[in-house]
Amino acid sequence: MPKTRNVGVFVGSLRKESFTRKVANAVASVAPSNLNFEFIDIAPVSHYNQDLESTPPADWTAFRQKVSAVDAVLFATPEYNRSVPGVLKNAIDVASRPYGKSAWNGKPGAVISVSPGAISAFGANHHLRQMLVFLNIPAMQQPEAYIGGADKLFDANGALTNESTREFLGKFAEAFAEWIEVILAPKG
Ligand SMILES: Cc1cc2nc3c(=O)[nH]c(=O)nc-3n(C[C@H](O)[C@H](O)[C@H](O)COP(=O)(O)O)c2cc1C
């Protein structure tokens, strides 16, 4: 029986009807049962300002603690102007500091990009991957997850209606579960 692994999920959209959140919910619903998904809200994370590090805002401390507590991280991002939304970048920056105490360090990760458009937020996906290199988040390479046409995948209740996408997300989640073990199992 595989060990339970807690996965922090970071959704890069604050929009109530976010397609990205719906995709992240769908991944959680089809993932292997040893993965326990915790959606960590980035909305309360205030703007990063290095001057505040001596007495960090309570929302930074709470967010950093939540990131530290999970075993692995899953980023689901939309694309804003061919990159990640500022709110997601800000949250990533906040948990990366203070210097030398990044909460992200060493946690296995994966990226899903989501867009109604055909390019499927490729730009955001790869800008995010660039950050993960510096943050020492070993990111799953394959399968990559570019979810396009996202406005046509869900019913009025937000349930995924596209079978091939469900099948793909299931394979993605299985691969992520294996990837987490590749990175964490040697450490226990
Ligand atoms: C400021 C802004 C910039 C955007 N830039 C892009 C873009 O570069 N590429 C893209 O595919 N969609 C872009 N869009 C459209 C988003 O893909 C669309 O709003 C999507 O629904 C956002 O994801 P969500 O549904 O999870 O909120 C942009 C939207 C906004 C508000």
Side-chain angles (χ1 to χ4, degrees):
M1 187 66 190
K3 208 169 161 174
T4 299
R5 301 294 190 183
N6 293 317
V7 179
V9 183
F10 304 87
V11 175
S13 171
L14 307 185
R15 200 168 72 84
K16 218 166 81 197
E17 291 298 324
S18 162
F19 299 125
T20 310
R21 180 171 299 278
K22 287 174 186 169
V23 169
N25 285 336
V27 173
S29 74
V30 296
S33 58
N34 73 305
L35 296 188
N36 180 34
F37 289 86
E38 185 194 343
F39 282 68
I40 300 179
D41 192 7
I42 62 171
V45 183
S46 56
H47 282 168
Y48 187 75
N49 176 349
Q50 209 170 345
D51 290 341
L52 306 182
E53 277 299 359
S54 48
T55 47
D59 64 81
W60 290 9
T61 306
F63 184 69
R64 287 167 175 171
Q65 283 170 351
K66 283 179 189 166
V67 174
S68 293
V70 295
D71 300 308
V73 290
L74 173 64
F75 295 94
T77 188
E79 181 171 84
Y80 281 5
N81 300 310
R82 296 283 180 257
S83 186
V84 297
V87 283
L88 180 57
K89 176 71 165 72
N90 182 64
I92 289 171
D93 292 343
V94 165
S96 73
R97 292 281 161 148
Y99 184 74
K101 292 191 177 158
S102 168
W104 304 109
N105 189 37
K107 293 184 194 292
V111 174
I112 304 175
S113 60
V114 179
S115 172
I119 303 174
S120 313
F122 174 88
N125 190 308
H126 281 260
H127 275 186
L128 185 46
R129 285 174 179 273
Q130 181 173 321
M131 286 181 247
L132 303 193
V133 173
F134 185 66
L135 294 166
N136 193 33
I137 294 174
M140 181 170 73
Q141 301 299 298
Q142 293 291 338
E144 298 163 277
Y146 306 106
I147 309 298
D151 53 331
K152 296 177 189 71
L153 300 177
F154 301 94
D155 67 17
N157 300 317
L160 184 63
T161 53
N162 185 294
E163 265 320 302
S164 66
T165 302
R166 186 191 315 284
E167 200 180 310
F168 170 75
L169 294 177
K171 286 185 181 148
F172 176 87
E174 273 169 36
F176 188 36
E178 284 171 22
W179 178 244
I180 290 170
E181 295 314 309
V182 166
I183 302 302
L184 293 184
K187 300 176 204 156

